[in-house]
Amino acid sequence: MSTPSNWFSSAESWLDARGRGAWMAAMILGFIFFWPVGLAILFYMIWSNRMSRSFFCCRPSKSVSRHSAHTQSSGNTAFDAYRDDTLKRLEDEQTAFQSFLQRLRDAKDKTEFDQFMNERARDVASPASPEPKTV
């Protein structure tokens, strides 16, 4: 299930790939169908500088992967080797940290589930106290 932020970022990158015309079309369609949506898109375009000419003409494409950005040689082989090693190390550390966080979440989930099961077993084992009989 996708979250609203994932949906928004994918829509944003889709519009960015198609240029300023796609943003304008989205804004106009937003005004036509439900004016607050068009107004929100307009404010977002102004806030994020998507209305400026330099946003679409001088920015590197988002479709370029971050790995291909550092494959270009700087002309200094020692620096290129150092940069590649450092980026590899940082990516490995990021992967290790993400797996640590996942293990931490899994352990927390297991602890909460075990606590729930223990409470449930305790509730099932001890029957509810009998209600006083009214005469």
Side-chain angles (χ1 to χ4, degrees):
M1 185 166 118
S2 67
T3 63
S5 63
N6 287 343
W7 178 85
F8 179 76
S9 63
S10 64
E12 177 186 27
S13 61
W14 186 85
L15 287 169
D16 283 346
R18 281 146 185 84
R20 183 185 292 172
W23 279 99
M24 293 294 182
M27 179 183 62
I28 291 168
L29 289 173
F31 276 115
I32 290 172
F33 290 113
F34 189 60
W35 68 267
V37 172
L39 195 60
I41 293 172
L42 174 64
F43 285 139
Y44 181 74
M45 288 172 62
I46 292 170
W47 174 77
S48 64
N49 290 331
R50 281 177 169 73
M51 292 293 285
S52 68
R53 179 172 296 269
S54 65
F55 180 78
F56 290 108
C57 72
C58 302
R59 280 182 33 157
S61 173
K62 282 190 171 184
S63 64
V64 175
S65 72
R66 73 175 184 200
H67 298 292
S68 66
H70 66 77
T71 57
Q72 294 178 349
S73 175
S74 67
N76 185 333
T77 56
F79 173 75
D80 291 342
Y82 169 77
R83 180 191 58 205
D84 292 340
D85 290 342
T86 302
L87 290 174
K88 174 73 171 123
R89 182 182 51 82
L90 289 173
E91 289 172 355
D92 292 343
E93 286 179 9
Q94 180 181 11
T95 303
F97 183 69
Q98 287 174 343
S99 67
F100 167 76
L101 288 178
Q102 187 60 44
R103 287 191 314 270
L104 196 63
R105 287 185 201 106
D106 292 344
K108 182 182 175 200
D109 289 347
K110 182 176 181 347
T111 303
E112 290 174 355
F113 178 73
D114 290 343
Q115 180 183 0
F116 168 76
M117 291 304 288
N118 290 337
E119 289 174 1
R120 184 169 178 252
R122 191 174 44 242
D123 291 345
V124 169
S126 64
S129 61
E131 295 182 18
K133 295 182 181 178
T134 57
V135 181

